Amino acid sequence: MGFKCGIVGLPNVGKSTLFNALTRTAAAQAANYPFCTIEPNTGEVAVPDPRLQKIAAIGKSKEIIPTRISFVDIAGLVRGASKGEGLGNQFLANIREVDAIVHVLRCFEDGDITHVEGRIDPVADAETVETELMLADLDSLERRIVQFRKRASGKDKEALTVLPLMEAALELLQVGKPARILLKNISAEDLRILQGLNLLTSHPVLYVCNVAEADAATGNAHTKAVEQMAAAQGARTVVISAAIEAEVAQLSDEEEMEFLATLGLDEPGLNKVIRAGYELLQLITYFTVGPKETRAWTVHKGAKAPQAAGVIHTDFERGFIRAQTIAYNDFVTLGGEVAAKEAGKARDEGKEYVVQDGDIMLFKFNT
């Protein structure tokens, strides 16, 4: 099961530096000129989860395997991308393939690093990118909706189902609002239809404020402006210094913590970005524990036990019988599976059980 967060933004805001630090590689070239990134770079990163260590210690596991998420470094966008300016067409095609958007905004002053717009204004930068995405969606929907209206007038079942969401999205875009507003209080079926429309602005967004080293712990006036904008949209923000993260990526674990402490930070900003990206996709984690390994598995929030079993192997889902389930707090507090069973905290859950974040699960199935 692959989940992708696309790292986007204007040129020279720190996208590739952030990506390099995330993946702890130099896979994405970082340089001071527009369109340094042309082909999107993809890297998988482990989702930091301190629960894994505790569970593995109790289970006496030889190996710990975290869950993972992919980040894609996408070429910088410029004004006019929806009309093909810069690398616009390629940018728009690449962004359609991700599940969520990590929008990096430049919140630092540095005369040595050029800005494509000639000024530092992260809110305006965000509006530039959002406007281009909305214009591309508007053009796409206006072309497609004509045919769907004809089909709906002929009582075509698919068109009658899809058209209301197309109309709702088009109405939002025409007044300058992104299609992701429809994600609020949407049914599972409508969500599937909306995702099928493949609209750029239907992706959930996380704003990453890239600041100078001195502002990493506190933020600055630029980050506060972004936070206000995000709050109005119902979006989230994370403040990091890509420069610090690039340094941290080269250090040992011990050196990393010492270095961060001198800056007033208790963890790398990348951890916050990864966790926020994970939450942005509405994902949760369940665990399997044994002497061989403790492993984290990813499912969508609301997934039922058979679906969770299917993440391990499709045979588990097809032959699902039940799932022995222990809540994380019970497992840790009581000291493991045996103690949880003795305390009556190990439950046998059936096909309708909705998996909770942190569940420790053991599946029973027919082959």
Side-chain angles (χ1 to χ4, degrees), residues 54-76:
K54 294 180 180 179
I55 296 170
I58 293 170
K60 296 181 172 59
S61 303
K62 292 180 180 179
E63 189 177 4
I64 297 175
I65 304 176
T67 191
R68 306 182 74 80
I69 189 170
S70 294
F71 283 86
V72 184
D73 179 26
I74 298 175

Side-chain angles (χ1 to χ4, degrees), residues 47-255:
V47 177
D49 194 330
R51 296 176 297 183
L52 272 169
Q53 302 291 337
K54 294 180 180 179
I55 296 170
I58 293 170
K60 296 181 172 59
S61 303
K62 292 180 180 179
E63 189 177 4
I64 297 175
I65 304 176
T67 191
R68 306 182 74 80
I69 189 170
S70 294
F71 283 86
V72 184
D73 179 26
I74 298 175
L77 175 145
V78 295
R79 194 181 303 277
S82 61
K83 303 301 181 184
E85 292 294 327
L87 295 171
N89 292 332
Q90 190 165 347
F91 174 94
L92 298 175
N94 292 333
I95 203 172
R96 289 188 196 280
E97 298 175 3
V98 302
D99 303 298
I101 296 172
V102 175
H103 191 161
V104 181
L105 297 170
R106 179 172 171 174
C107 296
F108 64 89
E109 308 278 347
D110 188 334
D112 293 330
I113 301 178
T114 60
H115 189 290
V116 71
E117 296 280 358
R119 47 94 181 113
I120 307 302
D121 186 343
V123 171
D125 289 353
E127 291 171 350
T128 294
V129 172
E130 186 85 308
T131 296
E132 295 303 325
L133 298 184
M134 286 192 291
L135 287 172
D137 279 349
L138 191 60
D139 179 63
S140 172
L141 269 183
E142 285 177 340
R143 284 186 287 105
R144 286 188 286 168
I145 204 167
V146 174
Q147 184 61 35
F148 271 82
R149 283 171 175 161
K150 288 181 180 178
R151 288 170 55 190
S153 65
K155 305 303 179 184
D156 179 89
K157 288 184 178 179
E158 181 193 11
L160 288 170
T161 301
V162 175
L163 187 59
L165 274 173
M166 294 184 78
E167 299 273 15
L170 183 61
E171 185 177 329
L172 285 170
L173 292 164
Q174 287 173 333
V175 295
K177 295 181 180 180
R180 75 179 64 90
I181 290 176
L182 296 175
L183 294 173
K184 298 177 181 178
N185 303 317
I186 195 171
S187 69
E189 178 59 21
D190 281 349
L191 176 60
R192 184 190 64 78
I193 295 170
L194 183 61
Q195 290 171 336
L197 294 177
N198 208 18
L199 299 175
L200 299 167
T201 62
S202 66
H203 296 308
V205 174
L206 168 70
Y207 293 107
V208 174
C209 300
N210 184 16
V211 300
E213 183 175 306
D215 297 325
T218 59
N220 56 32
H222 291 312
T223 66
K224 288 178 174 56
V226 173
E227 287 167 0
Q228 289 179 352
M229 173 192 69
Q233 298 177 3
R236 292 186 56 184
T237 61
V238 172
V239 176
I240 70 162
S241 168
I244 289 176
E245 303 306 322
E247 289 186 57
V248 167
Q250 308 303 317
L251 302 177
S252 67
D253 290 345
E254 184 177 343
E255 291 172 329

